């Protein structure tokens, strides 16, 4: 029976891959509307023919990988359960110890290591792709270092979260999600607080902006926006990527405005001020706090759904998935599976909210800096540096784009300034 279900899942996955391949590589979705061809939003006006070709090719491959990798991850979780691997990890001689936290830590290490090994080819191919298309400058040893830091940081947080989570499930298999919500929300806020000063520096060096004249102008903008900022930080990314970025991270006294050095090297002063004004727009519009509210709501809803779905799945398919009890640690891949499916299903909504916030931040930046041409040229340079697709297919936009498309962003600037 398990073999039959496995073959059916693989066939379904194969059909899905074929459908997504046709949609992404051979459909007419996306492209430049006829009314915008030849305008500043048309990549043919600010990119070379080679850059346009590479951006289209690179975007299609990235999009296809995204839509393939997510359900493939689901199949991995199902395989770990149905093959008995999860039970084997729990019953391993390596974890016959008295203390439950050590047992869970070893189980989670074996599980994380297996998933890391299985998904490593996909991770490596993404790295190879970005290197081959000139987005990444990072050598293999540096990339592996970042991958291993990711592994250990995620593993450490997983041990803490899962140990507490399964203790709650053991104490109350029906209402554990309520206490989990009460703990997860402050934990997540705590992680947002320490992210800029503890986790981010593991990957890169952060230091105050070296161009003090530019920093003064940025802080003047911050003062106009009533933002209590004393420093702007830059991070050394040029040795890893040619892409451009800037962001706001952290909360409270640990919040930071960060510029990649690639942004400093490739944008003009006016363009940098526009980027900074955009990031300040997020602060003024209180997007960090809105994000916390949205995260709180989705966490509560997600944990409630998991609490309802896990017992039902175990009752119906537990023997095939080799799950004996919901509070047994070997059920954790099922928790991961449901979480991943819910996250994927909700991404169109969360991306829509994010795109709305990014649009608001763009509007604020254009009003604060009052240089529409700087906004347009910034968006154009961001497109070139990342070989971004200016107008992706609709499904790609829904599931992948947390920012408005470059076509929308550039065209909105033109429309607003022509009114």
């Amino acid at each position: 029976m398990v073999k039959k279900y496995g073959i059916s899942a693989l066939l379904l996955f194969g059909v899905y891959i074929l459908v997504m391949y046709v949609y992404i590589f051979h459909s007419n979705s996306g492209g430049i509307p006829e009314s915008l061809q030849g305008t500043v939003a048309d990549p043919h006006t600010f990119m070379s023919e080679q850059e346009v070709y590479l951006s289209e090719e690179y975007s299609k491959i990235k999009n296809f990988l995204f839509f393939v990798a997510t359900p493939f991850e689901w199949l991995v979780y199902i395989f770990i359960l149905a093959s008995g691997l999860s039970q084997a990890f729990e019953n391993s001689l390596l974890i016959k110890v008295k203390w439950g936290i050590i047992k869970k830590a070893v189980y989670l290490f074996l599980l994380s290591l297996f998933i890391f090994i299985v998904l490593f080819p996909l991770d490596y191919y993404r790295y190879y792709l970005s290197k081959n298309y000139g987005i990444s400058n990072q050598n293999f040893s540096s990339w592996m270092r970042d991958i291993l830091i990711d592994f250990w940081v995620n593993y450490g947080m997983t041990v803490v979260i899962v140990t507490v989570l399964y203790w709650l499930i053991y104490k109350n298999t029906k209402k554990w999600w309520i206490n989990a919500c009460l703990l997860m929300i402050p934990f997540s806020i705590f992680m947002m607080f320490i992210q800029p000063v503890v986790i981010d520096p593991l990957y890169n060096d952060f230091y105050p902006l070296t161009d003090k004249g530019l920093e003064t102008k940025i802080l003047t903008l911050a003062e106009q926006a009533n933002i209590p900022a004393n420093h702007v930080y830059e991070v050394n990314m040029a040795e890893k990527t040619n892409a451009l970025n800037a962001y706001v991270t952290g909360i409270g006294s640990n919040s930071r405005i960060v510029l990649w050095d690639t942004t400093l090297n490739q944008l003009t002063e006016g363009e940098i001020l526009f980027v900074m004004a955009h990031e300040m727009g997020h602060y003024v519009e209180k997007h960090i706090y809105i994000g916390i509210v949205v995260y709180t709501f989705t966490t509560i809803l997600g944990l409630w759904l998991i609490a309802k779905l896990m017992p039902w799945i175990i009752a119906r398919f537990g023997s095939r998935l080799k799950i004996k009890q919901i509070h047994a640690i070997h059920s954790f891949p099922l928790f991961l599976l449901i979480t991943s499916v819910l996250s994927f299903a909700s991404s169109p909504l969360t991306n829509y909210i994010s795109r709305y916030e990014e649009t608001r931040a763009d509007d604020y930046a254009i009003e604060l800096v009052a240089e529409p041409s700087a906004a347009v040229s910034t968006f154009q340079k961001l497109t070139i540096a990342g070989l971004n697709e200016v107008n992706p297919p609709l499904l790609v936009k829904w599931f992948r784009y947390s920012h408005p498309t470059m076509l929308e962003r550039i065209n909105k600037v033109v429309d607003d300034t022509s009114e």
Side-chain angles (χ1 to χ4, degrees):
M1 185 65 72
V2 173
K3 184 178 180 180
K4 178 183 176 181
Y5 277 104
I7 293 173
S8 299
L10 289 175
L11 288 174
L12 184 62
F13 182 57
V15 172
Y16 166 80
I17 288 176
L18 181 61
V19 170
M20 293 310 303
Y21 178 83
V22 172
Y23 177 76
I24 290 173
F25 286 94
H26 297 289
S27 74
N28 294 321
S29 182
I32 309 301
E34 186 175 349
S35 61
L36 295 179
Q37 292 178 5
T39 68
V40 290
D42 184 349
H44 292 89
T45 64
F46 60 88
M47 300 172 75
S48 68
E49 287 299 320
Q50 178 71 359
E51 288 171 335
V52 171
Y53 172 78
L54 290 177
S55 69
E56 292 176 352
E57 186 178 64
Y58 180 54
S59 296
K60 287 178 180 178
I61 297 173
K62 281 195 309 177
N63 295 335
F64 181 67
L65 278 177
F66 169 81
F67 283 103
V68 168
T70 302
F72 176 72
E73 184 181 315
W74 302 345
L75 289 179
V76 171
Y77 294 142
I78 294 171
F79 171 78
I80 291 171
L81 290 167
S83 66
L85 263 180
S86 189
Q87 273 194 343
F89 291 153
E90 184 178 18
N91 297 330
S92 170
L93 292 174
L94 293 174
I95 51 179
K96 290 190 178 298
V97 294
K98 181 179 179 181
W99 299 283
I101 188 170
I102 296 178
K103 188 173 183 177
K104 288 181 175 62
V106 177
Y107 167 85
L108 291 170
F109 175 76
L110 295 174
L111 178 66
S112 299
L113 183 62
F114 179 82
I115 294 173
F116 175 84
I117 293 171
V118 172
L119 298 183
F120 181 81
L122 276 174
D123 291 331
Y124 176 76
Y125 184 67
R126 290 190 186 98
Y127 161 71
Y128 166 79
L129 200 65
S130 63
K131 186 98 170 175
N132 193 47
Y133 279 86
I135 307 300
S136 173
N137 298 323
Q138 196 171 18
N139 59 44
F140 179 76
S141 60
S142 173
W143 176 76
M144 274 302 303
R145 176 182 176 274
D146 285 350
I147 288 290
L148 291 175
I149 290 173
D150 267 342
F151 175 85
W152 287 111
V153 168
N154 290 333
Y155 170 71
M157 290 191 295
T158 300
V159 170
V160 174
I161 293 171
V162 172
T163 299
V164 174
L165 182 67
Y166 271 77
W167 179 78
L168 293 174
I169 295 174
Y170 177 76
K171 289 294 183 181
N172 191 331
T173 56
K174 291 185 178 180
K175 297 183 178 180
W176 61 266
W177 64 275
I178 299 175
N179 291 325
C181 290
L182 295 176
L183 292 175
M184 287 291 290
I185 293 167
F187 176 79
S188 299
I189 294 174
F190 171 73
M191 291 303 301
M192 291 173 63
F193 184 77
I194 68 169
Q195 176 94 23
V197 294
V198 176
I199 297 176
D200 289 347
L202 295 174
Y203 299 89
N204 300 97
D205 295 327
F206 291 78
Y207 38 86
L209 188 62
T210 53
D211 186 338
K212 295 305 177 184
L214 178 60
E215 184 179 45
T216 299
K217 293 180 180 180
I218 292 173
L219 293 177
T220 299
L221 285 180
E223 185 178 356
Q224 293 174 16
N226 296 315
I227 297 174
N230 296 317
H231 296 288
V232 179
Y233 291 85
E234 62 179 285
V235 54
N236 59 327
M237 292 296 296
E239 61 186 24
K240 294 184 178 182
T241 182
N242 289 317
L244 312 179
N245 198 15
Y247 58 90
V248 175
T249 185
I251 57 175
S253 60
N254 280 358
S255 60
R256 287 182 174 182
I257 299 175
V258 179
L259 273 166
W260 286 10
D261 58 353
T262 52
T263 303
L264 292 166
N265 296 337
Q266 297 182 47
L267 297 188
T268 66
E269 184 177 279
E271 292 163 347
I272 292 171
L273 291 176
F274 170 77
V275 170
M276 287 291 91
H278 172 95
E279 299 305 327
M280 293 172 191
H282 287 302
Y283 180 93
V284 172
E285 296 283 337
K286 303 188 186 307
H287 291 161
I288 291 178
Y289 302 104
I290 293 173
I292 292 173
V293 171
V294 171
Y295 173 80
T296 300
F297 174 76
T298 54
T299 298
I300 293 172
L301 180 60
L303 288 174
W304 176 77
L305 286 171
I306 292 171
K308 296 297 182 182
L309 289 171
M310 276 189 76
W312 181 82
I313 293 173
I314 293 172
R316 186 163 183 178
F317 304 103
S319 60
R320 294 166 190 161
L321 296 176
K322 308 293 192 297
I323 300 175
K324 296 179 179 179
Q325 298 170 314
I326 186 174
H327 60 76
I329 189 66
H330 64 255
S331 71
F332 183 57
L334 178 60
F335 184 95
L336 292 175
L337 172 63
I338 298 173
T339 301
S340 181
V341 171
L342 292 177
S343 177
F344 184 77
S346 64
S347 57
L349 176 60
T350 55
N351 284 338
Y352 175 82
I353 294 171
S354 177
R355 288 195 300 270
Y356 172 77
E357 292 179 343
E358 295 297 333
T359 299
R360 294 283 296 177
D362 282 348
D363 291 343
Y364 178 84
I366 292 168
E367 182 179 346
L368 184 64
V369 176
E371 285 190 37
S373 60
V376 170
S377 59
T378 298
F379 294 143
Q380 291 174 337
K381 289 181 180 180
L382 286 169
T383 302
I384 296 170
L387 290 180
N388 296 314
E389 195 173 18
V390 297
N391 191 33
L394 189 59
L395 282 180
V396 174
K397 176 182 173 180
W398 284 356
F399 283 91
R400 294 207 66 200
Y401 274 56
S402 60
H403 289 61
T405 67
M406 286 302 181
L407 187 76
E408 292 170 333
R409 299 178 87 174
I410 294 174
N411 192 47
K412 190 174 188 305
V413 174
V414 174
D415 287 346
D416 289 347
T417 54
S418 61
E419 291 178 355

